[in-house]
Amino acid sequence: MSIATSILGASGYSGQETLDRVLAHPELELVALGSDSLAGQWASVLDPRLNGNVPAFVSNHDAIAVGAELVFCCFDHERAALLDAPADVVVVDLSGAHRLAQPSLYAEWYGFEHPRPDVLPEWSYAIPELFPPTGPLIANPGCYATAVLLALAPLANVIEPSGVVVDAKSGVSRSVRTSTLPRSSRRSGSPSASFPICCRCGAA
């Protein structure tokens, strides 16, 4: 049985990457693509190869209200922090809006005061291979954290944590929030497809 799946903020970079993985998963059925800026348009505006293969864009409000069993939230941090997660639905937030248990840390690490600190205990920071989620609301770790934790986990019992130095590099700038190039362009491999983008920021 397929799991009905919605993607919020599907027009952003992380939303497009999530779309790729949802379409490739044999047990997920895409039922809604949310994008306030592209609502009413076909997914082929992102990639001609999607013409007729996936639902048309709807507003993010409609995408979360469609009744999906699984929702991927691909908003930026501050917008995701305002998310009103539906009851009894698995929600995976790809932003940093629900990763930290202490509300006071959001200003330091993400640059904003969390507007809904009361909901933070409901979210679990989870890496399935190491820390399975404890509930339906899942705060997806960032790309660096995931790479570091998965790499160091096998060595946890033989290393001194205070002596570990991680030298991580990103191939793209984290200063630009959203992608304005269609999927077909950014996957072409041509020089014009190279542009700075943050892999954890979504779009409207």
Side-chain angles (χ1 to χ4, degrees):
M1 180 180 295
S2 297
I3 299 172
T5 304
S6 292
I7 302 175
L8 309 180
S11 61
Y13 187 85
S14 61
Q16 293 176 46
E17 292 296 325
T18 300
L19 173 59
D20 284 345
R21 284 148 183 79
V22 169
L23 293 177
H25 199 294
E27 297 181 12
L28 300 183
E29 177 189 1
L30 183 66
V31 296
L33 278 176
S35 171
D36 294 334
S37 61
L38 296 179
Q41 301 188 54
W42 291 103
S44 57
V45 299
L46 290 180
D47 189 334
R49 293 172 295 178
L50 298 176
N51 187 30
N53 295 327
V54 298
F57 284 106
V58 296
S59 69
N60 287 304
H61 177 272
D62 289 345
I64 201 171
V66 74
E69 302 165 84
L70 171 62
V71 174
F72 288 98
C73 178
C74 303
F75 294 151
D76 61 62
H77 308 312
E78 293 187 65
R79 185 171 184 183
L82 296 170
L83 180 68
D84 188 12
D88 302 319
V89 172
V90 175
V91 180
V92 180
D93 179 13
L94 299 184
S95 80
H98 301 102
R99 291 175 184 159
L100 306 176
Q102 298 182 37
S104 60
L105 294 177
Y106 282 87
E108 177 182 355
W109 290 101
Y110 291 107
F112 72 98
E113 298 288 340
H114 203 289
R116 302 187 63 192
D118 57 303
V119 306
L120 293 177
E122 301 175 16
W123 291 81
S124 60
Y125 182 90
I127 296 180
E129 298 87 347
L130 302 176
F131 320 112
T134 57
L137 303 182
I138 303 168
N140 189 74
C143 44
Y144 285 114
T146 299
V148 170
L149 290 171
L150 290 178
L152 293 179
L155 305 174
N157 295 325
V158 296
I159 58 176
E160 174 56 47
S162 62
V164 174
V165 175
V166 176
D167 182 11
K169 306 277 193 309
S170 177
V172 291
S173 168
R174 300 183 67 83
S175 63
V176 178
R177 286 187 173 274
T178 58
S179 166
T180 56
L181 293 180
R183 291 156 53 95
S184 55
S185 295
R186 67 181 177 84
R187 300 196 188 289
S188 68
S190 64
S192 62
S194 298
F195 59 100
I197 197 69
C198 170
C199 64
R200 286 300 175 200
C201 295

